Amino acid sequence: KECDWSSDVCSSDLEVWIPCQEKFRFSEQVDPTTGQKKFIVQGMMLPFGKVSRNGILYNKESVIEKHKDLIGRPVMYNHMIEGHQLPIGHYINSIIKEDGWYYEMDIDSMEKDFIRKLERGDLRHVSIQLVGAKAVERFDENTGQAYTEAYVGDIIEGSIVPAPGFLDTTTE
């Protein structure tokens, strides 16, 4: 089974959720050694060189330096890290490509309701929560756009979220 959907953005000051405006792929696989089902989600975590609708441009060099810290971090639903919310999976890979930062997550096979919502397309977006190391106000004279260049500090967690941050994301 495979599904492609759009992704997400959110942001606030130095503690930010990174935009992800591309697609993710959901697939069901069988582990050849154990015979157990695995539910894998793959996609783009962050496009390079794009300013989010919140006016944030994430510094590429800091993403490249910190991206491997995502591996092993929890996958949450909608950034719920307080209280009794348990992770629904974890990140198993983090990859830098020319156009952006990509991820791979393993969703717990016991999360039946969550997996059903992925299969149905009810959940289509991803977002990451991190602490920024530094923020620099910038102005692009070509576009007349003011933005903040954010440098990645500590990665907290990544979530599958129900609402997009980019208003122009679409489902295919």
Side-chain angles (χ1 to χ4, degrees), residues 86-134:
L86 294 174
I88 56 174
H90 63 279
Y91 286 88
I92 57 176
N93 205 357
S94 179
I95 303 157
I96 296 295
K97 295 183 180 180
E98 187 66 31
D99 63 338
W101 175 18
Y102 289 79
Y103 65 89
E104 185 174 9
M105 62 176 80
D106 184 352
I107 303 298
D108 182 349
S109 63
M110 297 305 290
E111 295 288 343
K112 303 288 186 209
D113 288 339
F114 189 80
I115 290 165
R116 188 184 89 252
K117 291 185 182 307
L118 285 169
E119 290 173 330
R120 287 173 31 100
D122 296 339
L123 297 172
R124 305 175 184 162
H125 308 280
V126 295
S127 178
I128 189 163
Q129 187 175 24
L130 58 82
V131 176
K134 173 171 87 169

Side-chain angles (χ1 to χ4, degrees), residues 23-124:
K23 301 174 184 177
F24 70 73
R25 171 169 284 146
F26 172 73
S27 63
E28 180 179 326
Q29 302 173 4
V30 177
D31 185 321
T33 56
T34 65
Q36 293 183 326
K37 288 184 182 179
K38 294 180 74 169
F39 297 91
I40 305 298
V41 177
Q42 301 168 307
M44 179 183 272
M45 186 63 73
L46 169 72
F48 290 142
K50 293 186 179 179
V51 176
S52 73
R53 74 174 173 87
N54 312 56
I56 307 293
L57 174 71
Y58 293 88
N59 176 272
K60 182 178 179 177
E61 289 75 25
S62 70
V63 171
I64 291 170
E65 178 185 333
K66 295 288 191 171
H67 81 97
K68 287 290 186 186
D69 292 350
L70 181 66
I71 298 170
R73 293 284 197 260
V75 175
M76 304 299 288
Y77 171 71
N78 209 27
H79 299 293
M80 292 182 185
I81 58 175
E82 303 295 327
H84 300 290
Q85 175 70 28
L86 294 174
I88 56 174
H90 63 279
Y91 286 88
I92 57 176
N93 205 357
S94 179
I95 303 157
I96 296 295
K97 295 183 180 180
E98 187 66 31
D99 63 338
W101 175 18
Y102 289 79
Y103 65 89
E104 185 174 9
M105 62 176 80
D106 184 352
I107 303 298
D108 182 349
S109 63
M110 297 305 290
E111 295 288 343
K112 303 288 186 209
D113 288 339
F114 189 80
I115 290 165
R116 188 184 89 252
K117 291 185 182 307
L118 285 169
E119 290 173 330
R120 287 173 31 100
D122 296 339
L123 297 172
R124 305 175 184 162

